[in-house]
Amino acid sequence: AQSVTQPDIHITVSEGASLELRCNYSYGATPYLFWYVQSPGQGLQLLLKYFSGDTLVQGIKGFEAEFKRSQSSFNLRKPSVHWSDAAEYFCAVVPLRNMNTGFQKLVFGTGTRLLVSP
Amino acid sequence: DGGITQSPKYLFRKEGQNVTLSCEQNLNHDAMYWYRQDPGQGLRLIYYSQIVNDFQKGDIAEGYSVSREKKESFPLTVTSAQKNPTAFYLCASSTPRGDYATYNEQFFGPGTRLTVL
């Protein structure tokens, strides 16, 4: 079945340490790829997106993500985590087959909750 | 400042009652969406509207209804037919797509947490 998988439900990282959040997708063609962040009780904010071109994408708040076609992955990274990064992170895709229709449906993963320890 | 507002932030409902969640945007966006978020399940699309006076069912429309009489507003009614309505509801909006190769970012509101007592 076509889907977006975030295998880690929770991750705890020490402040100042590096972070990598995993995302895998299972679609025949590379979809459009996104990472969103959600602070507790809040809406979602777009961190970064990948459509084509350079496979290393820079986003806001010091985040970056790397698209790896061979692994069907789009992992999110940050070299040094701050306490304010504690939030839930969602990977999402727009399947390319939807691009020819009038509506581009976002398909979300189940999210990874990031905890930052002092 | 332009943005999306959702009200109320917290909503409590007795079983068997209908309740309406408000979503207003001043971004001049044509398209609006409603999502439901449950712990461990990500976001699921309830309804979407690409233009005034038109809307379409998403993946989990049963037990919900919407209207789109104004460009700025897209209220969601949770009816008594919705079997498990307790959840966090998010509204979003975007500009309409240009050509097939473009994607227009969805902007999200702060959400409404609905609890059925």
Side-chain angles (χ1 to χ4, degrees), chain B residues 7-13 19-21 112-116:
Chain B
S7 60
K9 188 171 180 64
Y10 299 96
L11 190 56
F12 298 90
R13 188 195 91 174
V19 64
T20 297
L21 283 59
T112 292
R113 184 165 299 281
L114 172 64
T115 302
V116 174

Side-chain angles (χ1 to χ4, degrees), chain B residues 8 21 26 32 35 38 42 57 63 82 90 102 109 117:
Chain B
L21 283 59
N26 61 5
M32 298 187 73
Y35 292 90
D38 296 281
K57 293 182 179 180
Q82 169 51 234
L90 286 161
T102 62
L117 305 173

Side-chain angles (χ1 to χ4, degrees), chain A:
Chain A
Q2 297 179 327
S3 66
V4 180
T5 302
Q6 294 181 247
D8 303 305
I9 297 175
H10 298 101
I11 282 185
T12 300
V13 174
S14 299
E15 190 168 13
S18 63
L19 168 71
E20 182 168 27
L21 302 182
R22 296 182 291 166
C23 174
N24 292 92
Y25 61 89
S26 59
Y27 290 88
T30 301
Y32 286 8
L33 299 157
F34 307 83
W35 275 99
Y36 285 86
V37 60
Q38 183 182 34
S39 297
Q42 300 298 315
L44 274 68
Q45 182 181 23
L46 180 66
L47 285 175
L48 46 78
K49 60 191 175 190
Y50 174 77
F51 290 175
S52 65
D54 192 345
T55 57
L56 186 62
V57 180
Q58 302 297 320
I60 62 171
K61 304 186 179 187
F63 286 92
E64 66 179 25
E66 186 172 13
F67 166 62
K68 293 185 177 180
R69 185 187 305 276
S70 61
Q71 299 177 18
S72 297
S73 69
F74 188 55
N75 293 351
L76 182 71
R77 302 195 296 241
K78 187 170 185 177
S80 177
V81 168
H82 188 262
W83 64 266
S84 60
D85 293 324
E88 188 150 23
Y89 291 80
F90 291 94
C91 181
V93 309
V94 173
L96 275 188
R97 60 185 169 86
N98 287 353
M99 293 301 293
N100 293 328
T101 69
F103 171 58
Q104 300 166 335
K105 176 183 172 182
L106 267 174
V107 178
F108 286 88
T110 52
T112 297
R113 182 166 297 280
L114 173 65
L115 305 174
V116 180
S117 61

